[in-house]
PDB file of all heavy atoms in Angstrom:
ATOM      1  N   ASP O  34      18.579   4.334 -35.843  1.00  0.00           N
ATOM      2  CA  ASP O  34      19.754   4.135 -36.678  1.00  0.00           C
ATOM      3  C   ASP O  34      20.795   3.250 -36.000  1.00  0.00           C
ATOM      4  O   ASP O  34      21.623   2.649 -36.650  1.00  0.00           O
ATOM      5  CB  ASP O  34      20.393   5.493 -37.004  1.00  0.00           C
ATOM      6  CG  ASP O  34      19.499   6.318 -37.940  1.00  0.00           C
ATOM      7  OD1 ASP O  34      18.619   5.707 -38.577  1.00  0.00           O
ATOM      8  OD2 ASP O  34      19.682   7.549 -38.006  1.00  0.00           O
ATOM      9  N   PHE O  37      20.794  -1.828 -33.752  1.00  0.00           N
ATOM     10  CA  PHE O  37      21.423  -3.148 -33.735  1.00  0.00           C
ATOM     11  C   PHE O  37      22.751  -3.152 -32.990  1.00  0.00           C
ATOM     12  O   PHE O  37      23.445  -4.150 -32.972  1.00  0.00           O
ATOM     13  CB  PHE O  37      21.622  -3.657 -35.171  1.00  0.00           C
ATOM     14  CG  PHE O  37      20.334  -3.938 -35.867  1.00  0.00           C
ATOM     15  CD1 PHE O  37      19.839  -3.060 -36.814  1.00  0.00           C
ATOM     16  CD2 PHE O  37      19.599  -5.073 -35.564  1.00  0.00           C
ATOM     17  CE1 PHE O  37      18.649  -3.316 -37.466  1.00  0.00           C
ATOM     18  CE2 PHE O  37      18.389  -5.342 -36.202  1.00  0.00           C
ATOM     19  CZ  PHE O  37      17.921  -4.457 -37.155  1.00  0.00           C
ATOM     20  N   VAL O  64       7.712 -11.135  -2.911  1.00  0.00           N
ATOM     21  CA  VAL O  64       6.374 -11.470  -2.424  1.00  0.00           C
ATOM     22  C   VAL O  64       5.960 -12.869  -2.873  1.00  0.00           C
ATOM     23  O   VAL O  64       5.114 -13.506  -2.251  1.00  0.00           O
ATOM     24  CB  VAL O  64       5.358 -10.408  -2.909  1.00  0.00           C
ATOM     25  CG1 VAL O  64       5.031 -10.588  -4.382  1.00  0.00           C
ATOM     26  CG2 VAL O  64       4.108 -10.412  -2.058  1.00  0.00           C
ATOM     27  N   MET O  77      -7.154 -21.787   1.418  1.00  0.00           N
ATOM     28  CA  MET O  77      -6.928 -21.950  -0.023  1.00  0.00           C
ATOM     29  C   MET O  77      -7.921 -21.140  -0.850  1.00  0.00           C
ATOM     30  O   MET O  77      -7.521 -20.411  -1.782  1.00  0.00           O
ATOM     31  CB  MET O  77      -7.039 -23.423  -0.401  1.00  0.00           C
ATOM     32  CG  MET O  77      -6.705 -23.731  -1.849  1.00  0.00           C
ATOM     33  SD  MET O  77      -4.928 -23.657  -2.179  1.00  0.00           S
ATOM     34  CE  MET O  77      -4.417 -25.280  -1.528  1.00  0.00           C
ATOM     35  N   GLU O 125       4.046  14.730 -10.060  1.00  0.00           N
ATOM     36  CA  GLU O 125       3.969  15.849 -11.008  1.00  0.00           C
ATOM     37  C   GLU O 125       2.680  15.790 -11.824  1.00  0.00           C
ATOM     38  O   GLU O 125       2.095  16.829 -12.162  1.00  0.00           O
ATOM     39  CB  GLU O 125       5.191  15.825 -11.926  1.00  0.00           C
ATOM     40  CG  GLU O 125       6.496  16.120 -11.202  1.00  0.00           C
ATOM     41  CD  GLU O 125       7.732  15.858 -12.044  1.00  0.00           C
ATOM     42  OE1 GLU O 125       7.742  14.852 -12.772  1.00  0.00           O
ATOM     43  OE2 GLU O 125       8.663  16.669 -11.971  1.00  0.00           O
ATOM     44  N   PHE O 142       2.933   9.649  -0.043  1.00  0.00           N
ATOM     45  CA  PHE O 142       2.592   8.226  -0.080  1.00  0.00           C
ATOM     46  C   PHE O 142       3.530   7.462  -1.011  1.00  0.00           C
ATOM     47  O   PHE O 142       3.991   6.363  -0.676  1.00  0.00           O
ATOM     48  CB  PHE O 142       1.138   8.030  -0.522  1.00  0.00           C
ATOM     49  CG  PHE O 142       0.154   8.126   0.603  1.00  0.00           C
ATOM     50  CD1 PHE O 142      -0.619   9.255   0.779  1.00  0.00           C
ATOM     51  CD2 PHE O 142       0.005   7.079   1.501  1.00  0.00           C
ATOM     52  CE1 PHE O 142      -1.526   9.349   1.821  1.00  0.00           C
ATOM     53  CE2 PHE O 142      -0.902   7.153   2.555  1.00  0.00           C
ATOM     54  CZ  PHE O 142      -1.669   8.300   2.705  1.00  0.00           C
ATOM     55  N   ILE O 165      21.124 -20.716   2.176  1.00  0.00           N
ATOM     56  CA  ILE O 165      22.268 -21.347   1.524  1.00  0.00           C
ATOM     57  C   ILE O 165      23.473 -21.345   2.447  1.00  0.00           C
ATOM     58  O   ILE O 165      24.194 -22.341   2.557  1.00  0.00           O
ATOM     59  CB  ILE O 165      22.615 -20.609   0.206  1.00  0.00           C
ATOM     60  CG1 ILE O 165      21.531 -20.859  -0.845  1.00  0.00           C
ATOM     61  CG2 ILE O 165      23.960 -21.074  -0.342  1.00  0.00           C
ATOM     62  CD1 ILE O 165      21.820 -20.213  -2.186  1.00  0.00           C
ATOM     63  N   ARG O 172      21.304 -10.406   9.883  1.00  0.00           N
ATOM     64  CA  ARG O 172      21.653  -8.990  10.000  1.00  0.00           C
ATOM     65  C   ARG O 172      22.973  -8.696   9.292  1.00  0.00           C
ATOM     66  O   ARG O 172      23.115  -7.673   8.612  1.00  0.00           O
ATOM     67  CB  ARG O 172      21.741  -8.590  11.480  1.00  0.00           C
ATOM     68  CG  ARG O 172      21.886  -7.086  11.693  1.00  0.00           C
ATOM     69  CD  ARG O 172      21.681  -6.724  13.133  1.00  0.00           C
ATOM     70  NE  ARG O 172      22.738  -7.275  13.984  1.00  0.00           N
ATOM     71  CZ  ARG O 172      22.679  -7.303  15.321  1.00  0.00           C
ATOM     72  NH1 ARG O 172      21.603  -6.833  15.935  1.00  0.00           N
ATOM     73  NH2 ARG O 172      23.661  -7.803  16.030  1.00  0.00           N
ATOM     74  N   GLN O 221       2.554 -34.051   0.963  1.00  0.00           N
ATOM     75  CA  GLN O 221       2.083 -33.454   2.201  1.00  0.00           C
ATOM     76  C   GLN O 221       2.841 -34.002   3.408  1.00  0.00           C
ATOM     77  O   GLN O 221       3.136 -35.187   3.483  1.00  0.00           O
ATOM     78  CB  GLN O 221       0.589 -33.707   2.380  1.00  0.00           C
ATOM     79  CG  GLN O 221      -0.280 -32.932   1.401  1.00  0.00           C
ATOM     80  CD  GLN O 221      -1.756 -33.093   1.702  1.00  0.00           C
ATOM     81  OE1 GLN O 221      -2.230 -34.212   1.933  1.00  0.00           O
ATOM     82  NE2 GLN O 221      -2.499 -31.993   1.682  1.00  0.00           N
ATOM     83  N   VAL O 234      -7.335 -11.440  12.707  1.00  0.00           N
ATOM     84  CA  VAL O 234      -6.052 -10.739  12.569  1.00  0.00           C
ATOM     85  C   VAL O 234      -5.220 -11.383  11.477  1.00  0.00           C
ATOM     86  O   VAL O 234      -4.656 -10.699  10.607  1.00  0.00           O
ATOM     87  CB  VAL O 234      -5.282 -10.738  13.906  1.00  0.00           C
ATOM     88  CG1 VAL O 234      -3.857 -10.241  13.712  1.00  0.00           C
ATOM     89  CG2 VAL O 234      -5.986  -9.866  14.933  1.00  0.00           C
ATOM     90  N   GLY O 249       2.471  -2.736  -7.747  1.00  0.00           N
ATOM     91  CA  GLY O 249       3.718  -2.197  -8.290  1.00  0.00           C
ATOM     92  C   GLY O 249       3.542  -0.876  -9.025  1.00  0.00           C
ATOM     93  O   GLY O 249       4.395  -0.474  -9.801  1.00  0.00           O
ATOM     94  N   PHE O 303      11.098 -20.720   1.277  1.00  0.00           N
ATOM     95  CA  PHE O 303      12.366 -21.443   1.150  1.00  0.00           C
ATOM     96  C   PHE O 303      12.726 -22.190   2.439  1.00  0.00           C
ATOM     97  O   PHE O 303      13.455 -23.179   2.403  1.00  0.00           O
ATOM     98  CB  PHE O 303      13.504 -20.476   0.812  1.00  0.00           C
ATOM     99  CG  PHE O 303      13.559 -20.087  -0.636  1.00  0.00           C
ATOM    100  CD1 PHE O 303      13.998 -18.820  -1.009  1.00  0.00           C
ATOM    101  CD2 PHE O 303      13.189 -20.965  -1.634  1.00  0.00           C
ATOM    102  CE1 PHE O 303      14.060 -18.444  -2.342  1.00  0.00           C
ATOM    103  CE2 PHE O 303      13.246 -20.601  -2.976  1.00  0.00           C
ATOM    104  CZ  PHE O 303      13.678 -19.336  -3.331  1.00  0.00           C
ATOM    105  N   ILE O 342      17.753  18.449  -5.108  1.00  0.00           N
ATOM    106  CA  ILE O 342      19.084  19.065  -4.970  1.00  0.00           C
ATOM    107  C   ILE O 342      19.578  19.686  -6.280  1.00  0.00           C
ATOM    108  O   ILE O 342      20.727  20.140  -6.362  1.00  0.00           O
ATOM    109  CB  ILE O 342      20.117  18.033  -4.466  1.00  0.00           C
ATOM    110  CG1 ILE O 342      20.300  16.884  -5.462  1.00  0.00           C
ATOM    111  CG2 ILE O 342      19.721  17.506  -3.088  1.00  0.00           C
ATOM    112  CD1 ILE O 342      21.401  15.907  -5.085  1.00  0.00           C
ATOM    113  N   LEU O 367      16.862   1.098   7.954  1.00  0.00           N
ATOM    114  CA  LEU O 367      15.531   0.592   8.289  1.00  0.00           C
ATOM    115  C   LEU O 367      15.438  -0.924   8.124  1.00  0.00           C
ATOM    116  O   LEU O 367      14.728  -1.599   8.872  1.00  0.00           O
ATOM    117  CB  LEU O 367      14.476   1.273   7.409  1.00  0.00           C
ATOM    118  CG  LEU O 367      14.170   2.740   7.740  1.00  0.00           C
ATOM    119  CD1 LEU O 367      13.338   3.376   6.641  1.00  0.00           C
ATOM    120  CD2 LEU O 367      13.464   2.849   9.083  1.00  0.00           C
ATOM    121  N   PHE O 374      10.407 -10.262   7.778  1.00  0.00           N
ATOM    122  CA  PHE O 374       9.999 -10.690   6.437  1.00  0.00           C
ATOM    123  C   PHE O 374       8.585 -11.252   6.490  1.00  0.00           C
ATOM    124  O   PHE O 374       8.293 -12.141   7.243  1.00  0.00           O
ATOM    125  CB  PHE O 374      10.977 -11.759   5.946  1.00  0.00           C
ATOM    126  CG  PHE O 374      10.811 -12.114   4.491  1.00  0.00           C
ATOM    127  CD1 PHE O 374      11.198 -11.225   3.519  1.00  0.00           C
ATOM    128  CD2 PHE O 374      10.284 -13.326   4.099  1.00  0.00           C
ATOM    129  CE1 PHE O 374      11.066 -11.536   2.173  1.00  0.00           C
ATOM    130  CE2 PHE O 374      10.146 -13.658   2.767  1.00  0.00           C
ATOM    131  CZ  PHE O 374      10.539 -12.759   1.798  1.00  0.00           C
ATOM    132  N   ILE O 377       6.072  -7.247   7.490  1.00  0.00           N
ATOM    133  CA  ILE O 377       6.282  -5.885   6.990  1.00  0.00           C
ATOM    134  C   ILE O 377       5.616  -5.699   5.628  1.00  0.00           C
ATOM    135  O   ILE O 377       5.141  -4.605   5.294  1.00  0.00           O
ATOM    136  CB  ILE O 377       7.789  -5.533   6.932  1.00  0.00           C
ATOM    137  CG1 ILE O 377       7.964  -4.015   6.753  1.00  0.00           C
ATOM    138  CG2 ILE O 377       8.490  -6.281   5.815  1.00  0.00           C
ATOM    139  CD1 ILE O 377       9.405  -3.563   6.886  1.00  0.00           C
ATOM    140  N   LEU O 396      -9.556   8.290  -7.040  1.00  0.00           N
ATOM    141  CA  LEU O 396     -10.054   9.620  -6.703  1.00  0.00           C
ATOM    142  C   LEU O 396      -9.549  10.664  -7.697  1.00  0.00           C
ATOM    143  O   LEU O 396     -10.302  11.548  -8.127  1.00  0.00           O
ATOM    144  CB  LEU O 396      -9.615  10.001  -5.283  1.00  0.00           C
ATOM    145  CG  LEU O 396     -10.370   9.367  -4.111  1.00  0.00           C
ATOM    146  CD1 LEU O 396      -9.729   9.776  -2.789  1.00  0.00           C
ATOM    147  CD2 LEU O 396     -11.842   9.780  -4.130  1.00  0.00           C
ATOM    148  N   VAL O 449      -0.815  -4.150  11.521  1.00  0.00           N
ATOM    149  CA  VAL O 449      -0.076  -3.439  12.573  1.00  0.00           C
ATOM    150  C   VAL O 449      -0.052  -4.268  13.844  1.00  0.00           C
ATOM    151  O   VAL O 449       0.976  -4.351  14.537  1.00  0.00           O
ATOM    152  CB  VAL O 449      -0.691  -2.050  12.830  1.00  0.00           C
ATOM    153  CG1 VAL O 449      -0.090  -1.411  14.075  1.00  0.00           C
ATOM    154  CG2 VAL O 449      -0.475  -1.144  11.618  1.00  0.00           C
TER     155      VAL O 449
END
Side-chain angles (χ1 to χ4, degrees):
D34 291 341
F37 293 104
V64 75
M77 185 74 80
E125 293 170 320
F142 275 104
I165 290 182
R172 189 168 66 192
Q221 290 186 314
V234 170
F303 280 147
I342 63 174
L367 287 168
F374 190 72
I377 194 172
L396 283 176
V449 170

